């Protein structure tokens, strides 16, 4: 099989369009994962043990269920219950909710790693509990978990091809559609692989830079 550069040039705009959708879905899903993951973590620190266990097992169920199954549930099953979402919206929500259970564990570890003396100092200063979390604990916890949170961003990007299962025309789906029209898959799949590598490597370098600048040992 020989490489067809003319064909590659023809399909590249469609592949780049798919890449934009992939990146948008990843970033928006990541925002959901960051916010909802913190919510999971804080809910598990409430005084009620029964409530904490309930939240824990809900998060554990989501984390233990295949992402593709969750995406299919959101896109194909929820409309039967009166909630219809576009494929891209369903994909973003599915990615965000699934990965929020992982970021929750990252936050939990970061909070646990904050020195006990910080809690005691805040108590001695009689700071309101909300301010203790906002100004003392969470800023320190975030700095400790920047590398791990960054790794989950890259992992989410690499899981984005699963959105093809709910008809999102992301990067891999764009390649398959181009290949189906021309019956040539070598060029589109190779370009897709190259784009995934480029974006992942660049993201990794940015995350490492943020880690050196903001993270603490």
């Amino acid at each position: 099989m020989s490489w067809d550069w003319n064909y590659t040039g023809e399909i590249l705009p469609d592949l780049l369009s798919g890449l934009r959708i992939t990146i948008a879905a990843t970033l928006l899903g990541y925002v959901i994962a960051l916010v909802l993951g913190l919510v999971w973590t804080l809910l598990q620190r409430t005084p009620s043990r029964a409530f904490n266990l309930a939240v824990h097992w809900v998060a554990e169920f989501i984390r233990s269920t295949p992402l593709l199954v969750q995406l299919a549930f959101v896109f194909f099953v929820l409309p039967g219950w009166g909630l219809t979402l576009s494929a891209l919206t369903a994909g973003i929500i599915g990615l965000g909710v699934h990965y929020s259970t992982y970021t929750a564990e990252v936050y939990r570890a970061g909070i646990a790693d904050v020195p006990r003396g910080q809690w005691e100092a805040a108590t001695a200063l009689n700071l309101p509990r909300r301010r203790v979390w906002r100004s003392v604990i969470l800023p320190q916890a975030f700095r400790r978990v920047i590398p791990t949170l960054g790794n989950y961003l890259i992992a989410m990007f690499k899981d984005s091809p699963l959105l093809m299962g709910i008809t999102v025309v992301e990067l891999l789906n764009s390649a398959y559609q181009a290949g189906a029209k021309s019956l040539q898959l070598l060029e589109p799949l190779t370009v897709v692989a190259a784009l995934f590598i480029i974006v992942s490597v660049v993201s990794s370098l940015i995350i490492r830079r943020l880690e050196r600048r903001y993270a603490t040992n």
Side-chain angles (χ1 to χ4, degrees):
M1 298 178 65
S2 60
W3 185 271
D4 188 338
W5 286 106
N6 290 329
Y7 173 57
T8 303
E10 292 174 4
I11 64 174
L12 189 57
D14 290 336
L15 297 182
L16 292 178
S17 177
L19 177 62
R20 286 193 292 271
I21 293 175
T22 294
I23 292 175
T26 301
L27 293 178
L28 292 174
Y30 189 63
V31 171
I32 294 174
L34 291 179
V35 175
L36 187 56
L38 183 58
V39 172
W40 288 121
T41 301
L42 296 179
L43 287 178
Q44 292 186 62
R45 298 181 68 90
T46 59
S48 172
R49 179 172 175 79
F51 183 77
N52 294 347
L53 283 174
V55 172
H56 168 76
W57 284 113
V58 170
E60 188 68 27
F61 174 80
I62 295 173
R63 185 164 51 244
S64 302
T65 308
L67 174 57
L68 183 58
V69 173
Q70 295 173 14
L71 292 170
F73 180 86
V74 173
F75 185 63
F76 295 113
V77 178
L78 289 186
W81 297 352
L83 181 59
T84 301
L85 302 171
S86 69
L88 182 57
T89 301
I92 291 170
I93 293 174
L95 283 172
V97 172
H98 183 80
Y99 271 90
S100 71
T101 60
Y102 292 96
T103 59
E105 288 301 302
V106 175
Y107 288 136
R108 183 191 61 77
I111 292 171
D113 197 39
V114 175
R116 184 172 181 81
Q118 297 293 313
W119 294 91
E120 295 172 348
T123 302
L125 292 173
N126 199 30
L127 295 177
R129 186 171 181 81
R130 181 174 296 180
R131 187 176 177 187
V132 172
W133 280 102
R134 186 178 66 248
S135 302
V136 180
I137 304 303
L138 290 181
Q140 296 185 61
F142 283 143
R143 291 169 68 90
R144 285 170 163 77
V145 299
I146 286 176
T148 309
L149 289 177
N151 290 337
Y152 277 123
L153 172 61
I154 297 174
M156 184 183 292
F157 175 70
K158 291 190 290 186
D159 272 346
S160 63
L162 292 175
L163 299 182
M164 183 174 62
I166 57 172
T167 73
V168 176
V169 187
E170 42 69 59
L171 182 53
L172 185 60
N173 199 351
S174 299
Y176 276 120
Q177 288 188 6
K181 293 177 182 177
S182 64
L183 300 181
Q184 293 178 254
L185 284 171
L186 173 63
E187 290 86 353
L189 291 183
T190 302
V191 173
V192 165
L195 290 174
F196 267 104
I197 292 172
I198 292 170
V199 174
S200 296
V201 170
V202 171
S203 300
S204 180
L205 293 175
I206 294 173
I207 291 166
R208 296 291 84 79
R209 184 171 182 178
L210 291 174
E211 178 184 350
R212 289 193 298 269
R213 182 170 182 178
Y214 297 108
T216 60
N217 297 322

